[in-house]
Amino acid sequence: MKTLDWITLGLYFVLMLAVGIAIRSRVKNARDFFTAGGKMPWWLSGISHHMSGYSAAVFVGYAALAYTEGFSLYIWWACSIAVALIIGSSVFATRWVRLRLHTGMISPLEYLTARYGHGTKLCLACSGSLLKIFDVGAKWTASALLLQMFAHIDLLWGVLLIGGVTLIYSVVGGLWADAATDLSQFVIQLISGISMFVVVMRHLGGVGAVTGMWRSLPASHRQFFHGQYTLGFALTYLLVNLLSYNGGTWSLAQRFMASPDVASARRSALLSAFLYMVWPLVLFYPMWAAPLLLPGAVHPEDSYAILAQRLLPQGLVGLVLAGLFAHSMAMTSSDANAVSAVVVRDIAPSVLPEAWLDNETKQLTAGRICTFGFLAGSMIIALLANHMGGVLGLILLWYGALVGPVAVPMMLGMLPVFKRCGAFSAISSWISGVAMFAALRLFVPSSVNGRSGSLMLSIGGPVVVSLIVYIVSGLIRPNDNPRAAALLLELR
């Protein structure tokens, strides 16, 4: 990091703070804070959805997978998300915006009271909020590790710097600030990503190296499915992404709820799908080329950062680092806003006096307090990541495996075909998925490096068990709930 790089990075952080603070005037109540008042245009919602879908962990954990496994990463990760969003654009995205339009709900979990009952909603809300702390903690760790690689800044200070800036603009501006900074971050990572792509391409010999480099890489790097990342794993991850990216990850549901109408929600999902299909081809290219430029790397997870430092001129290194931070800050601020919506609208009313949250002004204050608390808690988790399997361990094994048990009753509960699945099905599904996760962690050795266990079983086991139990329990013990039936009619 040279002087110009530090200036570039400093200007990036100042820009994020300025955008977040400038947008504060648009946030007058809880609806503005949590769903942008339902006025977010489809193109901004789609870009924000995409930016909120992955973080700097891509440039650490996934950089290692691109280095060792090759093209298969694009297939099971990017393509599966794109396919999931194309399917969900007509199935789920439209239902989220109808929830807000027809019922006035502004939290992704509010509808669960009518669907399953208050107790079930509270169970899913608490467990999902706790799970999100681990996921966001992984994002802070990845970002801080990148800062450590580039500038040799201690992990503690990296987490405090990146998390602190995000905390300020998220607390001040809510979802509007998240979306506005997402747009700024999208432009920055577009410039930095293309810069890396062009520099690596020229270093390998020009335009012909885009396809020609694959002949110089091991044959396994050209395969669509390789090692533990088999067709079965890709289909398993598609199932997880179908639930997660269409709303099982609450912050992504908020993007659809913030849309003004059904058509806009569908367009935003399709725009995000297009970006997932196209942009990773540019983003991952330097990572796929890394074995040619950094042969025999001892730490493949450092490959992207090392390439940026070696190949980019002064100033662009700082810009690339800002682009890497952009993803993490977009995702974590979105998650914080979503969790605070769930806490304020779905959890707090059960444990606090009614007078504390009896109007939207008080809910706005509570939302800001919750956002602050959530981001602070996730920063603490980030500092403990090495004791929980590292970045990939937190993302793939913890979040990837546990998101299913929470998302299955939440997402399938919106579909009329599962109208006979009630509270018993939702709770049974959640318990069985968590129990499966615990059993796999205790009795089946697993890893993300392919040397032991089965990654497909570790990630797919909990969600598949949850799915089966949800469906079967609905057949064995069907539920006839007029309130739930009326809600499902509203969502058609």
Side-chain angles (χ1 to χ4, degrees), residues 166-186:
T166 308
L167 188 149
I168 292 171
Y169 77 70
S170 297
V171 169
V172 168
L175 191 63
W176 270 122
D178 293 346
T181 51
D182 287 351
L183 179 60
S184 304
Q185 290 162 339
F186 177 73

Side-chain angles (χ1 to χ4, degrees), residues 283-401:
L283 203 62
F284 288 149
Y285 177 75
M287 305 180 199
W288 288 322
L292 301 178
L293 300 172
L294 302 171
V298 177
H299 301 290
E301 65 273 14
D302 298 346
S303 58
Y304 193 89
I306 294 172
L307 285 178
Q309 291 172 310
R310 289 187 180 181
L311 302 181
L312 292 178
Q314 185 177 158
L316 275 182
V317 175
L319 184 65
V320 166
L321 186 55
L324 307 189
F325 289 159
H327 288 287
S328 280
M329 294 172 72
M331 190 178 209
T332 50
S333 61
S334 300
D335 287 337
N337 186 271
V339 170
S340 65
V342 170
V343 171
V344 171
R345 300 283 293 195
D346 303 309
I347 298 176
S350 302
V351 297
L352 296 178
E354 184 179 351
W356 288 21
L357 298 168
D358 59 2
N359 61 60
E360 289 201 10
T361 301
K362 293 179 181 179
Q363 291 175 16
L364 172 59
T365 302
R368 285 176 168 152
I369 293 172
C370 289
T371 300
F372 180 92
F374 173 81
L375 287 173
S378 65
M379 288 160 68
I380 293 172
I381 293 293
L383 299 176
L384 302 174
N386 287 336
H387 301 287
M388 308 181 72
V391 174
L392 270 181
L394 279 171
I395 295 173
L396 289 183
L397 296 182
W398 282 83
Y399 185 71

Side-chain angles (χ1 to χ4, degrees), residues 454-473:
S454 170
L455 187 57
M456 183 175 72
L457 180 62
S458 298
I459 295 175
V463 67
V464 171
V465 168
S466 289
L467 185 63
I468 292 173
V469 169
Y470 184 82
I471 296 172
V472 172
S473 62

Side-chain angles (χ1 to χ4, degrees), residues 20-103:
I21 293 171
I23 211 75
R24 189 178 190 276
S25 61
R26 304 196 66 166
V27 182
K28 297 180 174 62
N29 53 46
R31 294 183 182 277
D32 293 334
F33 191 81
F34 294 133
T35 59
K39 299 174 182 178
M40 191 176 293
W42 68 269
W43 56 269
L44 180 57
S45 176
I47 290 173
S48 183
H49 184 286
H50 175 76
M51 288 296 295
S52 300
Y54 58 107
S55 69
V58 166
F59 304 95
V60 180
Y62 288 3
L65 294 180
Y67 187 101
T68 57
E69 306 294 334
F71 193 74
S72 62
L73 173 64
Y74 172 76
I75 300 297
W76 66 258
W77 183 72
C79 287
S80 71
I81 295 173
V83 172
L85 284 170
I86 291 170
I87 295 171
S89 63
S90 297
V91 178
F92 294 112
T94 53
R95 284 180 164 83
W96 284 120
V97 72
R98 286 190 185 110
L99 265 179
R100 182 185 58 78
L101 292 173
H102 296 169
T103 68

